[in-house]
């Protein structure tokens, strides 16, 4: 049986006029999570139609790797420090599992 994969999906709304600064800060913050247990990959996508709207997809081996391993770590505190001041409103995180087709 292959790895279980949990997709952490977050729709982000960045404060108007801060998009370029946010993308640069995100590039720097992106160096934080690859060292975390269960991390597989992540990507940030910019919405074409809505300025300041982004989609963050993070793949973890298990839900707990994200909710406990990352969210309760000192690395997460640094992630928040670098990124959360850009968001309005603060994002809601949802988790999804792949449906085999």
């Amino acid at each position: 049986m292959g790895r279980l994969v949990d997709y952490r999906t977050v729709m982000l709304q960045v404060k108007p006029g801060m998009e370029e600064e946010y993308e640069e800060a995100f590039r720097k913050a992106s160096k934080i999570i690859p060292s975390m247990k269960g991390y597989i990959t992540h990507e940030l996508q910019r919405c074409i139609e809505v300025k300041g709207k982004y989609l963050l997809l993070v793949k973890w081996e298990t839900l707990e790797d994200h909710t406990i391993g990352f969210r309760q770590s000192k690395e997460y505190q640094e992630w928040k420090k670098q990124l959360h001041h850009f968001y309005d409103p603060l994002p809601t995180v949802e988790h999804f599992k792949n449906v085999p087709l």
Side-chain angles (χ1 to χ4, degrees):
M1 187 147 117
R3 277 199 286 204
L4 296 176
V5 178
D6 167 61
Y7 291 87
R8 171 186 173 231
T9 305
V10 187
M11 196 64 67
L12 306 165
Q13 185 62 51
V14 171
K15 294 174 184 174
M18 299 186 79
E19 295 85 4
E20 287 184 32
E21 184 182 348
Y22 170 71
E23 290 179 19
E24 183 56 34
F26 191 90
R27 283 183 196 93
K28 291 177 183 173
S30 286
K31 297 174 183 160
I32 294 171
I33 60 174
S35 65
M36 301 304 297
K37 178 187 175 295
Y39 166 85
I40 298 172
T41 187
H42 72 285
E43 61 185 75
L44 181 68
Q45 297 182 13
R46 182 186 320 116
C47 183
I48 295 169
E49 292 84 8
V50 181
K51 188 167 179 64
K53 187 175 186 178
Y54 294 84
L55 176 64
L56 172 60
L57 299 167
V58 184
K59 292 182 187 177
W60 297 95
E61 288 184 24
T62 69
L63 177 65
E64 293 75 22
D65 287 335
H66 174 242
T67 59
I68 297 169
F70 181 56
R71 294 293 291 269
Q72 295 181 14
S73 70
K74 65 179 175 44
E75 289 87 352
Y76 177 69
Q77 296 308 312
E78 183 60 28
W79 175 271
K80 279 177 53 174
K81 179 180 167 188
Q82 291 185 33
L83 298 174
H84 281 208
H85 64 281
F86 288 103
Y87 305 134
D88 187 23
L90 283 175
T92 299
V93 176
E94 297 178 307
H95 297 86
F96 295 83
K97 277 214 178 299
N98 191 36
V99 176
L101 302 176

